[in-house]
Amino acid sequence: EVQLLESGGGLVQPGGSLRLSCAASGFIFSDYVMTWVRQAPGKGLEWVSAISGGGTITYYADSVKGRLTVSRDNSKNTVYLQMNSLRAEDTAIYYCAKSLFPASSPVDGSDIWGQGTMVTVSS
Amino acid sequence: QSALTQPASVSGSPGQSITISCTGTSSDVGTYVYVSWYQHHPDKAPKLMIYEVNNRPSGVSDRFSGSKSGNTASLTISGLQAEDEADYYCSSYTSTNTVLFGGGTKLTVL
């Protein structure tokens, strides 16, 4: 069964850091772009970042560029989101998702999503 | 970049058809076929319903269809059912190699 399981969320103070992980199973992980999408409380979905299958190409929304860093370890079938200089507006459920087709960029939709991990930035 | 524009809410009765619009610009929806639609029930993971404007992933009902004209994409749900009640989001690849989501549309089945 194809599965994604996020972890690492929690409560962090403004300016703090957190690293999210997303463990994948059931597919050839290195073939697929992996994406992070977040949903703030009461708000819609927001695309955050993506990384190519080989991990050499990364993509970021302007709102997180320079503060969030996506990476992956294909030997562990895991994608990460390092979150630094966190702000209150980063408070959200963070989902990781797998691209529908093997590709080098996040052009197509994501067909498999995790259940999400909650990040709360508050003092 | 601003989110793609969707109506905040739509509603319909069981058996009816509804259409949700998604308006972008020539830098996203207007240029690329990479428009997707997601269904999102509260406390569940989003589900991909349409990709590349009008294609359904395996397992998605043919009651769901997509189209695009100019800078506006649309999702049509025919034969509305109670379980279709959810939030729906469009997304599009953009000229800056990012993805934009719409603001979301709450579908109510009356």
Side-chain angles (χ1 to χ4, degrees):
Chain A
E1 181 188 4
V2 179
Q3 259 189 327
L4 297 172
L5 184 62
E6 302 96 338
S7 61
L11 174 64
V12 61
Q13 292 189 335
S17 298
L18 212 55
R19 188 176 85 155
L20 306 183
S21 300
C22 172
S25 59
F27 63 99
I28 303 174
F29 183 68
S30 59
D31 280 354
Y32 293 87
V33 170
M34 296 299 294
T35 294
W36 289 95
V37 174
R38 67 185 180 184
Q39 185 176 34
K43 303 293 186 181
L45 299 176
E46 179 187 9
W47 183 88
V48 172
S49 180
I51 185 167
S52 62
T56 57
I57 309 172
T58 56
Y59 309 86
Y60 297 97
D62 287 345
S63 58
V64 306
K65 205 173 292 185
R67 300 187 302 116
L68 274 56
T69 302
V70 63
S71 62
R72 65 193 294 162
D73 184 339
N74 287 344
S75 69
K76 296 182 178 179
N77 285 358
T78 301
V79 60
Y80 304 98
L81 188 66
Q82 178 66 42
M83 310 171 70
N84 298 330
S85 303
L86 283 164
R87 308 166 179 168
E89 53 264 38
D90 295 316
T91 295
I93 298 171
Y94 285 74
Y95 297 98
C96 69
K98 163 194 165 290
S99 62
L100 178 61
F101 299 121
S104 60
S105 60
V107 292
D108 269 310
S110 296
D111 63 336
I112 303 296
W113 295 62
Q115 287 302 306
T117 186
M118 183 71 202
V119 172
T120 303
V121 184
S122 174
S123 54
Chain B
Q1 286 173 305
S2 300
L4 305 175
T5 301
Q6 296 181 232
S9 63
V10 298
S11 63
S13 299
Q16 288 186 331
S17 295
I18 63 94
T19 296
I20 299 171
S21 62
C22 169
T23 301
T25 69
S26 59
S27 296
D28 39 69
V29 175
T31 293
Y32 298 98
V33 298
Y34 302 114
V35 176
S36 301
W37 288 90
Y38 295 90
Q39 178 189 67
H40 192 197
H41 287 106
D43 299 325
K44 296 186 74 175
K47 179 182 178 182
L48 181 65
M49 306 302 286
I50 296 287
Y51 68 94
E52 292 180 10
V53 175
N54 58 10
N55 293 281
R56 284 185 306 276
S58 174
V60 172
S61 170
D62 60 4
R63 297 187 297 107
F64 292 82
S65 61
S67 62
K68 190 183 82 163
S69 177
N71 293 340
T72 298
S74 299
L75 172 72
T76 298
I77 309 174
S78 59
L80 267 181
Q81 299 179 0
E83 58 262 36
D84 297 333
E85 186 162 294
D87 295 323
Y88 290 85
Y89 295 88
C90 62
S91 73
S92 175
Y93 189 65
T94 80
S95 60
T96 57
N97 298 321
T98 59
V99 173
L100 263 185
F101 276 97
T105 298
K106 182 177 179 59
L107 169 61
T108 300
V109 180
L110 302 170

